[in-house]
């Protein structure tokens, strides 16, 4: 007997992502860990695998849809297990009085165990850095083989306005570093190849034995339970005074932001005054003010 099971988006280490490719069609027979669809965030692309083998009965999403951890994406028809039926056999008659043979108990077959999860390698790219392009890599903070956590710095970039670290959006093992000190990168540039773990499906319970009874049906598999989402990636970046010509020790005559303010790219932070002009120092990227150094 076949059973229809729900498949959800597992922990993908962030919030909402976009479906960019459907990798299977209704009616396809899928193996455990075979890709169902591909999603893309502003940091990486990744495949969502089938947690168990079966036939794809229904797709719940389409290309362009937005999904997040726990979103229902498909229904898969997985094959169940059934035990063979026992047969009672009568003993031949004896010389005195006929005696019937006792029936033998029958053991039901255990249900199959779901396949173990597999790891996969994903691309990690430069996120939105406020519109800057061809930014210099001044330091590489990881090497191939390093085990890193979420938010661990991967590389340090320097523009004419600020220096900043590019953090890892997921935990995993660095398989390959794609940049070196001195390289120029922009939003979307490939930084590293990262190996991350997959989600493991639940195993069904075995069926108990029964004496001389009709066929016993195997217990259904437990539903896939979505796991808690990881915290969103947040990096604190320093903002320095950019090139203001030959002037030095310039007076700050006005502070335009406060701690906790939400600011946009190019919004004024402070106003400076020299003996020739006054000027504002703009924010090189959008974000939230954490500290103002006075």
């Amino acid at each position: 007997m076949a059973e229809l099971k729900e498949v959800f988006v597992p922990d993908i280490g962030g919030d909402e992502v976009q479906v960019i490719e459907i990798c299977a069609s209704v009616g396809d027979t899928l193996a455990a860990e075979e890709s169902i669809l591909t999603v893309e965030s502003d940091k990486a692309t990744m495949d969502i695998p089938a947690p168990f083998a079966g036939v794809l009965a229904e797709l719940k999403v389409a290309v362009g849809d937005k999904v997040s951890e726990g979103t229902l994406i498909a229904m898969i028809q997985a094959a169940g297990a059934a035990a063979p039926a026992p047969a009672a056999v009568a003993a031949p008659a004896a010389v005195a009085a006929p005696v019937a043979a006792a029936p033998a108990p029958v053991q039901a077959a255990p249900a199959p165990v779901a396949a173990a999860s597999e790891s996969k390698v994903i691309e990690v790219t430069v996120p939105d850095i406020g519109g800057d392009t061809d930014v210099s890599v001044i330091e590489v903070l990881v090497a191939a083989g390093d085990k890193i956590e979420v938010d661990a710095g991967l590389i340090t970039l320097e523009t004419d306005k600020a220096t900043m670290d590019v953090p890892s959006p997921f935990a995993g093992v660095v398989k390959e570093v794609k940049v070196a000190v001195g390289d120029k990168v922009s939003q979307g540039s490939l930084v590293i190849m990262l190996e991350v773990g997959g989600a493991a499906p639940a195993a069904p319970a075995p069926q108990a034995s029964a004496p001389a009874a009709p066929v016993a049906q195997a217990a259904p598999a437990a539903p896939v339970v979505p796991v808690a989402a990881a915290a969103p990636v947040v990096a604190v970046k320093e903002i320095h005074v950019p090139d203001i010509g030959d002037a030095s020790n310039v007076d700050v005559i006005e502070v335009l932001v406060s701690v906790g303010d939400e600011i946009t790219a190019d919004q004024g932070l402070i106003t400076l005054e020299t003996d020739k002009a006054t000027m504002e120092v703009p924010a090189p990227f959008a974000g939230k003010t954490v500290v103002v150094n006075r």
Side-chain angles (χ1 to χ4, degrees), residues 6-61:
E6 297 175 329
V7 179
F8 301 93
V9 176
D11 179 7
I12 51 176
D15 293 323
E16 199 171 57
V17 294
Q18 185 174 24
V19 177
I20 62 171
E21 185 181 358
I22 303 295
C23 304
S25 302
V26 173
D28 286 357
T29 299
L30 303 177
E33 300 300 328
E34 186 172 347
S35 297
I36 299 175
L37 52 88
T38 303
V39 297
E40 181 180 52
S41 69
D42 58 354
K43 304 181 183 73
T45 60
M46 67 199 82
D47 288 343
I48 304 297
F52 44 79
V55 176
L56 183 59
E58 188 177 355
L59 280 167
K60 295 293 189 178
V61 294

Side-chain angles (χ1 to χ4, degrees), residues 161-164 236-242 263-264 267 269-270 281-289 291 293:
K161 301 173 184 174
T163 59
M164 66 195 81
V236 178
K237 304 174 184 178
E238 296 179 341
I239 299 178
H240 302 272
V241 176
I263 60 175
T264 58
Q267 180 177 336
L269 303 176
I270 58 174
V281 174
F285 41 77
K288 184 176 181 178
T289 307
V291 177
N293 289 329

Side-chain angles (χ1 to χ4, degrees), residues 157-263:
L157 306 180
E158 183 177 54
T159 70
D160 58 353
K161 301 173 184 174
T163 59
M164 66 195 81
D165 286 348
V166 173
S168 174
F170 309 102
V173 177
V174 178
K175 302 300 291 182
E176 190 176 354
V177 178
K178 293 293 190 178
V179 293
V181 172
D183 286 356
K184 301 287 188 179
V185 298
S186 305
Q187 181 179 348
S189 297
L190 181 59
V191 179
I192 64 167
M193 303 297 291
L194 183 67
E195 184 179 44
V196 298
Q207 176 69 28
S209 62
V215 176
Q217 178 64 40
V224 177
V225 180
V227 296
V233 175
V234 178
V236 178
K237 304 174 184 178
E238 296 179 341
I239 299 178
H240 302 272
V241 176
D243 181 8
I244 53 176
D246 297 330
S248 60
N249 296 325
V250 179
D251 290 331
V252 178
I253 62 172
E254 188 177 4
V255 177
L256 305 174
V257 295
S258 302
V259 173
D261 287 356
E262 295 284 350
I263 60 175

Side-chain angles (χ1 to χ4, degrees), residues 95-108:
V95 175
V99 178
V106 177
Q107 181 74 28

Side-chain angles (χ1 to χ4, degrees), residues 49-77:
F52 44 79
V55 176
L56 183 59
E58 188 177 355
L59 280 167
K60 295 293 189 178
V61 294
V63 172
D65 287 354
K66 300 283 189 178
V67 299
S68 58
E69 180 264 324
T71 300
L72 178 63
I73 59 172
M75 304 292 290
I76 292 182
Q77 199 169 42

